[in-house]
Amino acid sequence: MIRSTIWIAIAMSIAGARAAEKVLTPEDKSIRQFLSAQAAELERDFFPALKTKEEFEKLRPMLHQQYLEMQGLWPLPEKTPLNAKTTGKLDDAPDYTVELVHYQSKPGLYVTANLFLPKPINGKYPAILYQCGHSNEKRDGNKTAYQDWGIWFARHGYVALVTDSLQLGEIAGIHHGTYREGRWWWHSLGYTPAGVECWNAIRGLDYLCARPEVDAERIGATGISGGGSATMWISAADERVKASAPVSGMSDLGFYIGEDGVDGHCDCMFVYNRARWNWTNIPALICPRPLLFVNSDNDGIFPMSGNNRVINRLSWLYARFGEGDKVSATISVGGHGYRTDLRREIFEFFNRYLKHSIEPVTDPNGGLASVNGDKGTHFIEHARLRVFPSDADVPADAINTRADRFFITPAKVDLPTAENFAEWKTKLLARLREMTFNAWPPNAPSLVVSPLGGTGQALPPEAGTANGEDSTEPGLKVTWRWFPGKDAAKTPWLIVLNAGEDPQRIPAWTEEQMGGASALLLCPRGVGTLAWTRKNPPNTVEREFPLLGGTVDGGRIWDIMTVAKNHSDGGRKWHAAGTGQAGILAAYAGLYEPSIEAVTCVNPPASHFPMEGEKEYGPPLLNVLRVLDIPEALGCLAPKGLHLAHVRAAAFEKTAAIYKAAGAEGKFTRE
C-alpha cells in the first residue's frame, strides 16, 4: 500500500471529529437526528417503481440533466479551444515516454497533466483518464504521487492521462470553501469544486480523443479518494468513459449525514442535491457500462456499511438490464489506500473490458521502482514531472486560484414591464421554488405551541410577554417571544433574529420603525437557545443541508413562513422585519407566505455574491444566483409594502424599477 501524508492527516481529522461527538449538546443531537431522518427518507427507496431497463432509459435524459445541473454544469458550458501545449518530454525509459502537458478547460482555467505513452507507438491504444486523490506534493502537483499508475498503464499498452486536481495542482485552487474558508456564497452560486473537476475531466476526454494514439472507443477512468469521487463524477457525466473503477471515492447519505461523514471530506466530494436524490442515483447513470466499485474494509472515510448499500443498489439496477456481471465490488483488507490486490483487480478489470484480455496480471506493482510493506518508491523524481518548471513559467492569465468566482455565471434577469409583470413574477418565483427551495415540505405542519414561560398562551397573550416554540418540520423546533405593543390596532411585527441577537429584548433598531406595534421575536433554526454548536472546520450541519437539497438559511425562511402562518388565525397579517441577513430572510418569506403583508430590511446586503475583498453578503440560499439576486427578489414582493432602512443610495435601483413596473411605487420606500 502506498500511503500519502495527506491520507494520514485525514484519518487523524476523522479521529478528532469522532472524539468531539462525545460532547454533543442536546441541540447538536436534535439537529443531527433531524438531518439523519431526512437522509433516511431520501434513501429509503432506490427507483422504487422501476421494473425494466426501458423504464430507466426513459428517465435517463432527465436524470442526466439534473445531475449536470447539480454539478453547476447545466446548461453545459461552451467547449472553448483547449489550447493544449506540451512543455516537455521524458524519454529516458525504454518502454514508455511522458509528455508534460496542459490544457485550458475554460479560458484561463489550466489543467496540468502527465501523459504516459507506450514506447514505441504502433497504432491506436486504449486510454485511461486517471483522477488524482489529495496528495500534497506542492508545486510538483499531486499527479506526481500517482505516476506509478501512468507508468504501469503505458508499459502495458495504454495511453494514460494523469491530471492534477484544482486543489493541490501546480496552480492550486481551493476545495475547502465551506469546509473551512467561510465561502458560503458557493451555495448561492451553486458552485462546487466537484463541478470543476468534472468539467476538467470532460475536457480531458476531449484531449485524449484528439490524440492520434488513442482509440476513442476504449477509454476508462479510475482514481482514489478525491480521485475516486472525480472518477464517479466523470463516469456518470460522460458516456465516452467505457469502463470505470472508482476507488474509495463514494459513500451514501446514510454515512455522509447519518454518521456525519461529511466531516472527513472537503467540498470536491459533493454535489448540491437540489433534486433530492438517493445518492446512488449518481453512479446509476453509469449503468450498464462496466463498473468496478473498489474499497477497503477499514476505511474511516468510506466505511463498509455505506459501500455495501451502494453496491447492493447498483447490482439490483444492473440486473434490470440483464448486465449484472458488469458491476462488481472488490474489497481489500486495510485502511484508506492502495494495496497489491486492489491494483491487480483494477488492472485486470481494464484489460478485460478495454483490451478483451483475461490473462492474469503478474506485476501489479510494476509501476513502482520498489515496494516494501506499505511504502513504495517512484521511478521519476517528482520535480521532473512539473509542467511549469518554475513559478515564472506559470501563465499570467491563469484563474485557477479564483475559479470559484468565474466558473458559474450568475443569472441575468431582464426587468419586467407593466404589461408582463404578473407573468414575470410568477415564472421567477416558480423557478426559485424549484432551484432554491425544493427541500421545503409541501405544506406547513399543524400548529404546535409549547409554553416556555410567561403566560404560556397561544397568541395574542394580551396580559404581557410570552415565550413559546413552534414545530416547523417534524423533529425541528424554533422559539419565539411575544411583546404586546401600545397600539394593538397596528399590524404586529414578526422580527427575525440573527445569531448573536438577544432573543429576550426587542432590538434597538426597531425603535424608529415599529411605532408601538406588537412584536414577535423569532429565533429560526440554529439561532437562540436551540442553536447547535458550530465549529469551523468542519461546519458539519451547514454542509449537510445542501446534501438534502437546501441550506440552513433556506430552512430559516421556511421557519418564518410557518410561524407566520401558524399564528395568522382570524386573518392576522404580519410585518416581517430583520437586520442584515435576517431582513433578507424575512423578505424571501414574504414572497411565498400570504399572511406577511409588508417587509422591512435594515442594513440589507445588496447581493448574495460578495465583491472581491468584501466579507458581507446575503444569506446562502442554494442556487439562488442562478435564478436572481437580492434586488430582483425584493422587487418580487410588489405590491406588498417594502421599506429598506440604511441602504446605499444606488444599491436597489432595480428594486425601485420593478415596483414601478408593478404599479406599486408608493409601496416601496428607502432611506
Side-chain angles (χ1 to χ4, degrees):
M1 175 176 64
I2 310 304
R3 185 188 298 267
S4 73
T5 56
I6 202 159
W7 289 347
I8 296 172
I10 288 171
M12 293 175 65
S13 173
I14 294 167
R18 288 180 174 169
E21 289 289 324
K22 299 177 182 179
V23 292
L24 291 180
T25 67
E27 292 73 30
D28 296 335
K29 293 177 182 177
S30 177
I31 190 62
R32 281 164 167 76
Q33 289 170 358
F34 168 78
L35 291 166
S36 294
Q38 295 277 311
E41 181 60 26
L42 287 187
E43 299 213 320
R44 182 168 57 90
D45 293 315
F46 180 62
F47 296 119
L50 188 68
K51 294 182 174 61
T52 67
K53 69 177 183 179
E54 289 78 14
E55 291 173 344
F56 184 81
E57 292 299 348
K58 288 181 180 179
L59 291 174
R60 190 187 295 274
M62 178 191 70
L63 294 172
H64 188 252
Q65 178 176 325
Q66 287 180 342
Y67 168 65
L68 292 177
E69 182 186 77
M70 293 189 292
Q71 290 272 19
L73 296 176
W74 189 265
L76 204 64
E78 177 188 0
K79 286 192 174 184
T80 52
L82 283 171
N83 295 321
K85 290 182 172 59
T86 299
T87 65
K89 185 175 182 179
L90 307 184
D91 200 20
D92 45 352
D95 48 1
Y96 67 91
T97 59
V98 188
E99 292 187 13
L100 314 178
V101 304
H102 65 76
Y103 58 87
Q104 296 177 53
S105 64
K106 284 189 171 188
L109 186 54
Y110 285 83
V111 181
T112 45
N114 296 149
L115 183 72
F116 293 81
L117 297 157
K119 184 179 180 181
I121 292 290
N122 183 19
K124 290 182 177 288
Y125 297 87
I128 298 293
L129 180 66
Y130 188 90
Q131 307 277 80
C132 292
H134 295 80
S135 183
N136 194 9
E137 304 302 317
K138 300 180 180 177
R139 258 297 275 117
D140 298 335
N142 59 354
K143 63 187 177 305
T144 60
Y146 300 95
Q147 59 176 273
D148 48 300
W149 286 84
I151 292 171
W152 190 96
F153 279 120
R155 283 176 164 173
H156 292 80
Y158 294 83
V159 174
L161 184 67
V162 183
T163 59
D164 273 331
S165 56
L166 180 68
Q167 179 171 292
L168 303 175
E170 288 194 40
I171 313 175
I174 291 178
H175 277 178
H176 290 83
T178 67
Y179 181 86
R180 67 179 176 220
E181 299 294 332
R183 298 188 182 187
W184 299 105
W185 49 270
W186 280 16
H187 290 164
S188 297
L189 197 56
Y191 172 85
T192 166
V196 180
E197 300 301 348
C198 188
W199 181 246
N200 287 353
I202 288 173
R203 302 313 312 274
L205 293 178
D206 292 342
Y207 175 78
L208 282 173
C209 290
R211 292 287 305 211
E213 308 91 344
V214 170
D215 180 350
E217 295 302 314
R218 293 188 292 159
I219 298 179
T222 190
I224 190 172
S225 193
S229 294
T231 298
M232 198 70 81
W233 303 145
I234 184 59
S235 301
D238 200 317
E239 292 188 350
R240 289 179 294 178
V241 175
K242 304 302 183 185
S244 179
V247 185
S248 297
M250 175 171 281
S251 189
D252 67 353
L253 298 180
F255 171 64
Y256 291 141
I257 296 177
E259 301 178 43
D260 288 341
V262 297
D263 290 352
H265 296 290
C266 70
D267 298 332
C268 77
M269 312 295 279
F270 306 111
V271 300
Y272 298 135
N273 194 10
R274 196 280 305 166
R276 292 175 58 78
W277 279 8
N278 182 315
W279 205 251
T280 310
N281 285 19
I282 297 170
L285 287 169
I286 302 171
C287 180
R289 287 171 284 148
L291 173 63
L292 180 65
F293 194 59
V294 185
N295 293 285
S296 297
D297 75 334
N298 193 29
D299 189 332
I301 54 177
F302 294 105
M304 284 305 303
S305 55
N307 297 339
N308 289 338
R309 291 190 294 267
V310 171
I311 191 59
N312 287 341
R313 294 165 187 151
L314 291 174
S315 296
W316 175 88
L317 180 62
Y318 272 74
R320 303 281 80 74
F321 280 75
E323 304 278 9
D325 57 331
K326 287 187 178 179
V327 63
S328 61
T330 188
I331 307 298
S332 181
V333 175
H336 187 76
Y338 283 124
R339 281 165 292 280
T340 300
D341 56 345
L342 293 184
R343 292 170 180 270
R344 183 185 300 110
E345 285 273 359
I346 294 165
F347 294 142
E348 290 182 352
F349 169 78
F350 285 118
N351 282 349
R352 183 162 62 253
Y353 286 107
L354 299 183
K355 299 180 74 175
H356 307 295
S357 171
I358 59 172
E359 293 296 319
V361 169
T362 58
D363 64 337
N365 295 317
L368 292 163
S370 66
V371 180
N372 181 17
D374 65 349
K375 297 183 183 299
T377 58
H378 288 137
F379 283 99
I380 306 171
E381 181 186 356
H382 288 195
R384 293 186 65 209
L385 292 170
R386 288 185 183 180
V387 176
F388 301 116
S390 71
D391 290 350
D393 297 313
V394 175
D397 64 344
I399 64 168
N400 296 41
T401 59
R402 298 184 298 147
D404 52 349
R405 301 190 70 87
F406 298 101
F407 192 75
I408 292 178
T409 302
K412 184 179 184 301
V413 180
D414 293 327
L415 296 182
T417 64
E419 292 74 23
N420 73 354
F421 172 76
E423 180 184 10
W424 176 88
K425 175 178 175 179
T426 298
K427 288 183 177 179
L428 210 53
L429 293 190
R431 179 65 173 161
L432 191 65
R433 182 70 168 83
E434 175 190 25
M435 290 292 292
T436 303
F437 303 127
N438 198 36
W440 285 351
N443 298 294
S446 300
L447 174 63
V448 178
V449 179
S450 300
L452 299 177
T455 65
Q457 296 175 300
L459 299 180
E462 303 296 346
T465 61
N467 295 319
E469 65 180 30
D470 282 11
S471 172
T472 58
E473 294 188 59
L476 195 149
K477 294 179 180 179
V478 299
T479 62
W480 47 260
R481 184 171 175 82
W482 171 257
F483 292 87
K486 297 178 181 178
D487 190 345
K490 285 193 171 184
T491 299
W493 282 47
L494 198 167
I495 300 172
V496 184
L497 298 181
N498 294 292
E501 291 189 272
D502 189 345
Q504 298 299 313
R505 298 176 182 271
I506 295 179
W509 58 263
T510 65
E511 294 177 2
E512 58 189 59
Q513 305 287 339
M514 286 178 52
S518 300
L520 182 120
L521 267 61
L522 173 63
C523 292
R525 64 188 68 185
V527 176
T529 58
L530 298 182
W532 55 80
T533 303
R534 186 171 184 181
K535 184 180 180 183
N536 179 25
N539 294 305
T540 305
V541 172
E542 287 73 16
R543 295 175 67 231
E544 287 181 354
F545 266 92
L547 303 189
L548 298 170
T551 64
V552 171
D553 280 308
R556 286 170 176 153
I557 295 170
W558 176 258
D559 296 338
I560 299 164
M561 293 162 55
T562 304
V563 170
K565 180 178 180 179
N566 282 352
H567 301 288
S568 61
D569 290 348
R572 176 185 287 112
K573 299 294 184 181
W574 292 99
H575 188 134
T579 183
Q581 291 196 350
I584 301 302
L585 298 180
Y588 275 98
L591 295 178
Y592 294 97
E593 174 49 46
S595 66
I596 297 175
E597 67 174 10
V599 174
T600 290
C601 302
V602 179
N603 293 317
S607 176
H608 291 284
F609 186 81
M611 298 296 290
E612 262 188 295
E614 289 189 2
K615 294 183 179 180
E616 299 298 325
Y617 50 91
L621 303 175
L622 196 63
N623 296 320
V624 67
L625 287 166
R626 291 159 70 178
V627 182
L628 47 64
D629 204 351
I630 289 173
E632 294 91 6
L634 295 181
C636 286
L637 283 166
K640 293 182 177 183
L642 173 62
H643 177 64
L644 305 182
H646 307 157
V647 298
R648 290 176 290 183
F652 295 96
E653 291 301 324
K654 283 186 178 180
T655 307
I658 295 169
Y659 262 78
K660 184 176 181 180
E665 55 262 59
K667 295 289 190 70
F668 173 58
T669 57
R670 52 182 164 164
E671 60 180 274

